[in-house]
Amino acid sequence: MSMYPHVKFLTSAAEAHQLAPDSGREIAFAGRSNSGKSTAINAVTQRSGLARVSRTPGRTQLINFFELAPERRLVDLPGYGFAKVPERVRLKWLQLMEHYFNVRESLVGLILIVDSRRGLGEQDAVMLEWVLARDRQAHVLLTKSDKLNQRDSQRVLRETKEACADAAVTVQLFSAHGKKGIDEAQRVMDKWLDAA
Ligand SMILES: Nc1nc2c(ncn2[C@@H]2O[C@H](COP(=O)(O)OP(=O)(O)OP(=O)(O)O)[C@@H](O)[C@H]2O)c(=O)[nH]1
Ligand SMILES: [Mg+2]
């Protein structure tokens, strides 16, 4: 059963002044375009239609806020790393993200979504730096692990743990399609949100 039966879409922000009120606690989901962010949000909230899943990478250029319970939110940050995005769009993304990570008091942790077939990228490392600089925690989901065999998934898990050798970062394998690692991700989120 869903831990958050009343989860609902709250608001979208394209500009800094449109962010949801900064109170309570929230967890941000970030990752490359097409890494499986929206699918992961749907899996951990057990609501298949909550965050839109697109086959066209980079479509989500908004910060989308979802309310899990009063004063408890999930945030779907716009994806990055999509080659066809114009420079002007990329700069706007950068400004909005820097603003978000700088000001957000209610942010308790970052769930970083990384396609397990690609591994941790440069921009992923920057996201981790931003959140660690604010003394927040991070949890990496190596998504789409159903696409890898046992040996390769264990290798990418080990390599990612080595690359994220900071006490505030944890890493796990995840597959929304294979229903793998959903409980583990939910436990981390519940702990961060103080819901357990
Ligand atoms: N095999 C497999 N495919 C997945 C999994 N999770 C997501 N996908 C697929 O990956 C594609 C992108 O998923 P999204 O959830 O839309 O990714 P996103 O990161 O939200 O993408 P943007 O919002 O466009 O940046 C879709 O075609 C999904 O069906 C998974 O666990 N396994
Ligand atoms: Mg998405």
Side-chain angles (χ1 to χ4, degrees):
M1 213 202 64
S2 174
M3 286 287 294
Y4 308 105
H6 304 298
V7 59
K8 61 173 191 209
F9 173 74
L10 201 59
T11 189
S12 289
E15 312 279 345
H17 67 89
Q18 295 168 332
L19 299 178
D22 193 6
S23 63
R25 292 175 171 231
E26 74 185 24
I27 294 176
F29 281 63
R32 253 184 102 87
S33 288
N34 208 40
S35 58
K37 267 188 318 301
S38 300
T39 306
I41 289 174
N42 290 341
V44 296
T45 57
Q46 290 166 301
R47 287 284 299 274
S48 56
L50 191 66
R52 244 185 41 208
V53 173
S54 77
R55 284 177 190 281
T56 316
R59 192 176 281 171
T60 325
Q61 281 297 333
L62 298 168
I63 299 183
N64 291 309
F65 291 86
F66 301 93
E67 188 177 82
L68 297 169
E71 301 288 283
R72 297 291 183 270
R73 291 176 302 277
L74 285 192
V75 184
D76 189 4
L77 296 174
Y80 43 82
F82 184 48
K84 283 187 197 133
V85 164
E87 185 61 7
R88 150 185 75 73
V89 175
R90 204 189 61 80
L91 283 176
K92 186 158 182 233
W93 173 88
L94 188 66
Q95 259 180 351
L96 187 59
M97 288 301 97
E98 281 190 314
H99 175 80
Y100 175 83
F101 282 103
N102 277 328
V103 303
R104 210 65 185 161
E105 291 297 331
S106 55
L107 177 69
V108 288
L110 174 75
I111 303 275
L112 185 66
I113 309 294
V114 175
D115 188 326
S116 57
R117 295 167 301 180
R118 303 185 73 110
L120 206 71
E122 229 171 85
Q123 188 61 54
D124 297 322
V126 171
M127 303 302 282
L128 287 175
E129 273 171 35
W130 282 346
V131 79
L132 295 178
R134 299 271 332 264
D135 289 327
R136 304 306 207 267
Q137 290 181 289
H139 186 66
V140 181
L141 300 186
L142 294 166
T143 57
K144 311 190 191 182
S145 69
D146 54 285
K147 297 272 192 189
L148 293 180
N149 64 30
Q150 179 74 4
R151 188 162 151 263
D152 289 341
S153 55
Q154 288 305 321
R155 179 184 45 78
V156 72
L157 178 63
R158 192 184 63 240
E159 287 173 359
T160 310
K161 282 180 174 170
E162 282 167 10
C164 303
D166 185 302
V169 188
T170 45
V171 186
Q172 68 158 101
L173 291 167
F174 187 88
S175 166
H177 290 187
K179 302 225 183 306
K180 195 176 158 185
I182 296 174
D183 293 4
E184 191 178 347
Q186 286 171 330
R187 274 197 297 277
V188 170
M189 291 170 50
D190 291 345
K191 198 175 72 189
W192 288 355
L193 293 170
D194 228 355

